[in-house]
Amino acid sequence: MSMHTTPDRNDLPGDTPNADLREAWRTGRVFGPPIRRIFRDVISDRLKGPHPPQAAMLFELTADPWWKDDKRFLGDFYNEILHQDTCRQGTADGVALLAALAVDDRVPARQRFDAVGLLFSAATVADRKLAGCWPTTPPHADPDNENQARKAVQSCTPDLLARWSAECQAVRLALAGLTVVFPTARTLPALTSRLRNLIEEHPQGTDVGDYVRFVLVLAAQDDNKTLPAVEAFTDTHWKGTSRRAPTRARALHLLGQMLDKVGMNLARAQPGQ
């Protein structure tokens, strides 16, 4: 994250006092793309008290005020929380930001999907990297921070799943992935019934159809069925993993790829968001 000593004053006169600059930043008159202002309002309303360090990108006067578009801001904001798909110190703290954004209707559906998808990624880093690097140790592995991030995501998952009926299909797909990461005796049966309609709408061989079918296999929690499904779907579309890697790790590695593809399709369907 670059830090500029002189913020872009946009529509303010060049001799505007620093105090006025700070007030203009605080009220949202200037500095930053529209989505940053939405995020800032949501976090202000939902997270009282000290904010996680990544929130500096929303509130600090000198936190890259040169950015003008949503895409650049979002990419770097998400990367501050989960740095290049690697957990580090502070990732667990940043989970609170994603959870708050994921449950607020002021945040566009595309960004709510991204927030839940990033929570899935943070919760599954260890498993996915294990499968991808087996039998070697994943580079940049950080078991302590990975475990803390996973626990942080698990703690907010019930509130996310409580929004299922109010969410659009795309966000439900991301929530389905999170459900099988943290299965419970209550959520798995509910997930199975909730996804049956999607099976009818999306045939096998489509990105959404295959994703939903694979989620349902994982929801059954039967390794004898999961392993063949991993092999079948991997052979069809996806980057494979070592057959000697743990089944769950391989399954989450594949599920992450499938969820990413669903997200890319959503981005193409909603350009500019």
Side-chain angles (χ1 to χ4, degrees):
M1 184 172 68
S2 61
M3 300 297 288
H4 301 290
T5 57
T6 304
D8 176 11
R9 300 186 174 209
N10 294 327
D11 61 346
L12 296 181
D15 59 352
T16 302
N18 285 339
D20 291 343
L21 281 173
R22 292 188 179 89
E23 180 64 12
W25 168 267
R26 185 188 67 78
T27 58
R29 279 182 55 205
V30 295
F31 309 130
I35 196 65
R36 190 208 306 254
R37 302 181 189 187
I38 294 174
F39 280 17
R40 185 171 56 184
D41 289 344
V42 170
I43 298 305
S44 294
D45 292 344
R46 289 186 173 272
L47 295 184
K48 305 304 180 183
H51 290 146
Q54 298 91 342
M57 296 184 68
L58 306 178
F59 297 100
E60 290 295 331
L61 177 65
T62 56
D64 293 297
W66 300 100
W67 294 338
K68 300 295 185 182
D69 61 277
D70 285 357
K71 185 176 181 180
R72 291 182 63 191
F73 163 72
L74 288 168
D76 284 348
F77 177 71
Y78 294 147
N79 194 52
E80 284 293 300
I81 297 173
L82 187 65
H83 183 65
Q84 297 179 358
D85 200 29
T86 301
C87 290
R88 59 183 182 178
Q89 187 175 4
T91 297
D93 294 330
V95 164
L97 297 174
L98 296 174
L101 297 170
V103 298
D104 197 296
D105 288 326
R106 287 173 290 182
V107 177
R110 170 66 207 181
Q111 279 73 54
R112 294 201 308 276
F113 174 92
D114 287 341
V116 179
L118 201 60
L119 289 170
F120 171 91
S121 295
T124 60
V125 163
D127 285 305
R128 291 184 294 105
K129 294 293 180 68
L130 177 67
C133 297
W134 187 271
T136 61
T137 300
H140 312 299
D142 189 336
D144 288 342
N145 283 317
E146 290 164 359
N147 188 49
Q148 290 179 26
R150 177 181 171 81
K151 288 181 177 178
V153 177
Q154 185 173 19
S155 69
C156 69
T157 294
D159 289 339
L160 297 172
L161 296 182
R163 278 182 53 87
W164 183 282
S165 61
E167 277 296 358
C168 64
Q169 176 177 295
V171 178
R172 288 178 181 179
L173 291 172
L175 290 173
L178 206 55
T179 302
V180 294
V181 174
F182 300 112
T184 70
R186 183 178 65 84
T187 58
L188 288 184
L191 179 67
T192 300
S193 63
R194 286 169 169 173
L195 292 181
R196 293 205 182 279
N197 288 339
L198 288 177
I199 289 180
E200 297 175 2
E201 296 173 13
H202 300 276
Q204 188 169 347
T206 63
D207 291 330
V208 172
D210 286 353
Y211 174 83
V212 170
R213 285 164 175 79
F214 189 50
V215 166
L216 289 174
V217 171
L218 298 185
Q221 296 187 297
D222 183 348
D223 277 1
N224 291 327
K225 295 180 180 179
T226 299
L227 188 55
V230 169
E231 295 287 347
F233 282 119
T234 299
D235 289 344
T236 303
H237 297 293
W238 311 103
K239 180 179 178 180
T241 48
S242 171
R243 287 183 168 85
R244 295 188 177 184
T247 297
R248 177 173 172 81
R250 296 187 67 198
L252 292 178
H253 184 278
L254 174 59
L255 190 64
Q257 293 182 77
M258 298 174 89
L259 183 58
D260 285 345
K261 187 66 174 294
V262 169
M264 287 189 287
N265 290 339
L266 177 62
R268 285 194 289 266
Q270 299 175 337
Q273 293 191 21

